Amino acid sequence: MVDSRWTPADIPDLKGRTALITGAGGGIGYRTAQVLAEHGARVLLAGRRPDSLADAARRLRADVPGARLETVELDLGDLAAIREAAAPLAAGETLDLLINNAGVMNVPERRLTRDGLELTVGTNHLGHFALTAHLMPALERSAAARVVTVSAVAAAWRSGDLADLMSEHGYRPMSAYAKSKRANVVFTQELARRLARSAHRAVVVHPGSALTDLQRHTSTSRMGRLLVALASRTLMGSPSGAAWPSLYAATHPEVVGGAYLGPAGRDQTSGTPKPARLPAGADDPDLGAWLWRESERLAGVTFPAPRT
């Protein structure tokens, strides 16, 4: 059930709750962090670049006086770095909200992560898969944790078929992106099934077509920059509106595990979130189980069994 009148102003008091947001240095991640901090949450800003995180923390403290903020250096393309970043939290912290928001897009040529994984899927899906696995002890300490993973409308593209997950038999930049975003959805559906007997929930969202740092950094050509600038004026919404699905998924009491939410506006750039149509087959338990096994193998992690 979706409350059609909801806005971020309806978010309840989040004092005593801790949220970690990847990609929090700018765009949707920054706006998500800002709103959660405004409502009293302790917010952990996670990202790859310490200078960007420090700048984001400075801006947030100016925007939200008294905000409780910490930064977590996290490279989602490095499995050892993910494990190292998560270890202090897993050892004794309680994590109530994990928002898997960061991502890369339109990498021109097939590149590999430090661990030999195709970069786009390795970052957008496998990096977040590994992070979630390592943070499960901290999430389990919460009375009712939520894992919110940010996918994209590209998850529904035909080119996002997961059969050649690492693009070893042919690489196309946006096909790799579509695979990573479909994997976000399939992973969430499987995680929701595994958490079904617990108080924890896994939810997936898409932000619509927002102009964020992700799009701004995907093209270095003059023509590419021109097209992005034109799109920003005609087609794309702002990160503020695009953060609404993540905020709704993270805080609304009636959101159920496995929900897929996106902006309600006709242009899919703004508005109260509503249920979105799952990509065909994304909720297939067999596909979910296969992707889970492959992801554990590729990322070198094993999810602990959830406590009921």
Side-chain angles (χ1 to χ4, degrees):
M1 182 177 179
V2 170
D3 181 352
S4 62
R5 297 169 296 178
W6 182 91
T7 74
D10 297 313
I11 293 173
D13 185 358
L14 299 176
K15 288 184 176 67
R17 295 175 69 79
T18 297
L20 186 149
I21 305 165
T22 68
I28 295 171
Y30 179 88
R31 177 56 178 165
T32 303
Q34 182 184 40
V35 174
L36 294 179
E38 287 172 348
H39 288 81
R42 171 188 173 223
V43 180
L44 310 181
L45 309 172
R48 186 170 56 88
R49 295 174 49 200
D51 56 341
S52 177
L53 290 176
D55 180 64
R58 282 193 296 270
R59 287 184 288 130
L60 271 173
R61 289 191 176 101
D63 292 339
V64 188
R68 294 194 304 148
L69 306 172
E70 297 173 34
T71 60
V72 178
E73 188 175 348
L74 172 68
D75 183 352
L76 289 166
D78 183 335
L79 295 172
I82 294 169
R83 183 171 59 251
E84 182 178 348
L89 298 169
E93 292 267 13
T94 296
L95 186 61
D96 303 287
L97 304 173
L98 171 60
I99 302 181
N100 292 322
N101 165 79
V104 297
M105 174 181 171
N106 203 20
V107 179
E109 298 177 350
R110 187 176 185 271
R111 293 171 52 194
L112 302 180
T113 68
R114 185 181 296 270
D115 303 283
L117 307 170
E118 189 279 311
L119 181 64
T120 305
V121 173
T123 301
N124 296 356
H125 166 58
L126 291 170
H128 283 123
F129 182 91
L131 178 65
T132 306
H134 289 307
L135 289 177
M136 281 306 295
L139 291 164
E140 289 279 6
R141 295 186 190 103
S142 172
R146 292 196 191 182
V147 177
V148 178
T149 299
V150 180
S151 182
V153 292
W157 296 353
R158 290 185 180 180
S159 59
D161 183 85
L162 300 180
D164 183 19
L165 191 61
M166 292 289 98
S167 297
E168 295 171 298
H169 303 294
Y171 177 80
R172 293 167 57 198
M174 292 309 291
S175 292
Y177 179 69
K179 288 178 188 180
S180 74
K181 296 291 100 178
R182 185 171 298 182
N184 289 155
V185 180
V186 175
F187 158 60
T188 300
Q189 298 303 305
E190 181 63 19
L191 181 58
R193 282 189 285 269
R194 291 170 181 249
L195 295 175
R197 293 189 177 184
S198 74
H200 311 310
R201 303 175 208 178
V203 186
V204 62
V205 303
H206 77 77
S209 301
L211 184 69
T212 69
D213 291 340
L214 184 66
Q215 284 90 350
R216 289 191 184 102
H217 296 162
T218 58
S219 179
T220 57
S221 71
R222 182 181 178 190
M223 180 58 71
R225 291 195 300 270
L226 178 63
L227 290 172
V228 168
L230 177 63
S232 72
R233 295 175 183 171
T234 58
L235 298 176
M236 294 182 177
S238 70
S240 293
W244 282 31
S246 295
L247 292 165
Y248 188 97
T251 65
H252 198 284
E254 295 185 6
V255 170
V256 298
Y260 183 34
L261 303 170
R266 289 183 61 186
D267 58 359
Q268 293 195 13
T269 62
S270 62
T272 297
K274 69 174 183 178
R277 180 178 296 179
L278 282 169
D283 56 350
D284 180 353
D286 290 337
L287 178 61
W290 172 83
L291 181 64
W292 194 276
R293 291 192 301 271
E294 275 295 284
S295 299
E296 287 193 326
R297 180 181 69 83
L298 292 166
V301 297
T302 300
F303 263 76
R307 291 192 296 240
T308 58

